Amino acid sequence: MADQPVDLKVESIATYYGLSQILFDVSFSVGPGEVVALVGRNGVGKTTTMRSIAGLTPPRAGKVIWNGRDMKGVPPHQVCRAGIGYVPEDRRIFPDLTVWENLDVVWRPADSKWTEERIFDIFPDLAKLRDRNGGYLSGGQQQMLTIARTLMTDPKLLLLDEPTEGLAPLAVERMVDRIGVLKAEGLAMVLAEQSTDMILALSDRMHVMEKGQIRATLTPEEVRADETLLTRYLML
Ligand SMILES: Nc1ncnc2c1ncn2[C@@H]1O[C@H](COP(=O)(O)OP(=O)(O)OP(=O)(O)O)[C@@H](O)[C@H]1O
């Protein structure tokens, strides 16, 4: 699986919840090692975009193409096995299982490069808590555990939904740092985030969403050159 390519193409997707259309003509792509951020205020459609890719809320129009394969009709567990790992916003850890048990319960390919040792190297905070029940972890530790658990499935592309949501400033710093390590390892990611620090530190490009559409695509360089740019878009 190590040589599996990373080529996600989201092509003009339209996604609905019941009769409500949430996404309109959303298109973007992710290549090897790239971190692509989806930014925008609450309710603009970031989570729905991730769910569309993960097969949880399949788009009614448009396509999600992963390494040349049209993912239409592919159920979420098969999307995961195809190499796309989704880390949802709400941390669904098992409170009565230990940290290691939370990691050990997930499906993983026989040749996964994510061994216990490697996971704990990346997340030393979790290593110290290996035998503690998940319910006793802090918010930041639980979020790291959720990410670590998804890594066990050996994703080639990680969909990370607001990993800093609800975390204290110090925990946000730790999280940015750890996700930076994953980026340095070459893991491609789609990152939905509100923390501008994280977006600027980690993303190769950012798509600004509003009302279910991508309104603008910016690079961190463009935003750094004009710090009001992102805030202006976010205040639309
Ligand atoms: N299960 C659902 N049924 C109906 N509408 C929904 C459902 N989930 C989300 N929505 C609506 O879809 C829109 C987009 O929500 P989404 O969660 O994708 O936004 P978001 O940008 O990720 O924001 P947040 O940061 O609040 O999660 C919102 O108007 C939301 O109310």
Side-chain angles (χ1 to χ4, degrees):
M1 304 267 279
D3 298 331
Q4 199 183 330
V6 173
D7 180 14
L8 176 77
K9 289 192 173 66
V10 175
E11 297 180 350
S12 294
I13 59 168
T15 303
Y16 293 69
Y17 290 116
L19 292 175
S20 309
Q21 184 169 0
I22 306 298
L23 298 184
F24 300 81
D25 198 23
V26 168
S27 300
F28 66 95
S29 62
V30 186
E34 285 184 337
V35 176
V36 172
L38 301 176
V39 301
R41 292 182 304 179
N42 285 334
V44 295
K46 304 182 296 293
T47 298
T48 308
T49 304
M50 301 243 174
R51 291 179 58 89
S52 302
I53 300 167
L56 292 159
T57 311
R60 279 198 208 156
K63 286 183 178 165
V64 174
I65 311 279
W66 171 238
N67 294 338
R69 174 183 178 192
D70 186 342
M71 300 303 274
K72 190 177 169 71
V74 179
H77 70 284
Q78 293 292 355
V79 174
C80 167
R81 286 175 193 222
I84 299 180
Y86 176 48
V87 184
E89 198 174 350
D90 50 342
R91 302 155 196 149
R92 292 182 210 147
I93 57 150
F94 299 105
D96 298 326
L97 296 185
T98 66
V99 165
W100 170 245
E101 286 165 347
N102 265 281
L103 297 174
D104 198 32
V105 289
V106 298
W107 170 85
R108 63 197 127 145
D111 61 350
S112 174
K113 62 181 182 182
W114 292 99
T115 57
E116 175 178 356
E117 192 183 18
R118 190 136 181 267
I119 289 277
F120 285 148
D121 268 356
I122 301 254
F123 298 105
D125 292 2
L126 294 182
K128 285 182 230 150
L129 302 165
R130 187 189 184 283
D131 300 315
R132 184 170 302 180
N133 278 6
Y136 291 104
L137 305 186
S138 70
Q141 291 160 348
Q142 289 190 359
Q143 184 63 47
M144 285 190 194
L145 181 55
T146 324
I147 297 171
R149 189 174 54 187
T150 304
L151 288 177
M152 295 298 276
T153 66
D154 202 15
K156 305 304 172 220
L157 172 71
L158 199 59
L159 309 175
L160 266 181
D161 199 354
E162 304 216 17
T164 66
E165 164 100 67
L167 301 186
L170 213 60
V172 171
E173 244 176 70
R174 291 281 299 148
M175 188 60 71
V176 176
D177 181 60
R178 293 299 89 192
I179 294 173
V181 171
L182 296 177
K183 179 179 160 89
E185 292 246 338
L187 189 61
M189 289 179 249
V190 178
L191 181 64
E193 244 319 307
Q194 307 237 10
S195 149
T196 23
D197 285 353
M198 178 177 262
I199 298 163
L200 285 177
L202 297 176
S203 66
D204 295 300
R205 37 179 196 286
M206 49 196 85
H207 299 297
V208 185
M209 295 188 74
E210 203 219 357
K211 294 185 185 157
Q213 288 180 296
I214 292 179
R215 289 282 187 217
T217 297
L218 306 168
T219 62
E221 293 72 35
E222 285 170 325
V223 176
R224 278 194 206 99
D226 176 1
E227 285 182 6
T228 64
L229 201 55
L230 196 55
T231 357
R232 272 207 318 266
Y233 275 116
L234 292 179
M235 282 170 30
L236 276 173

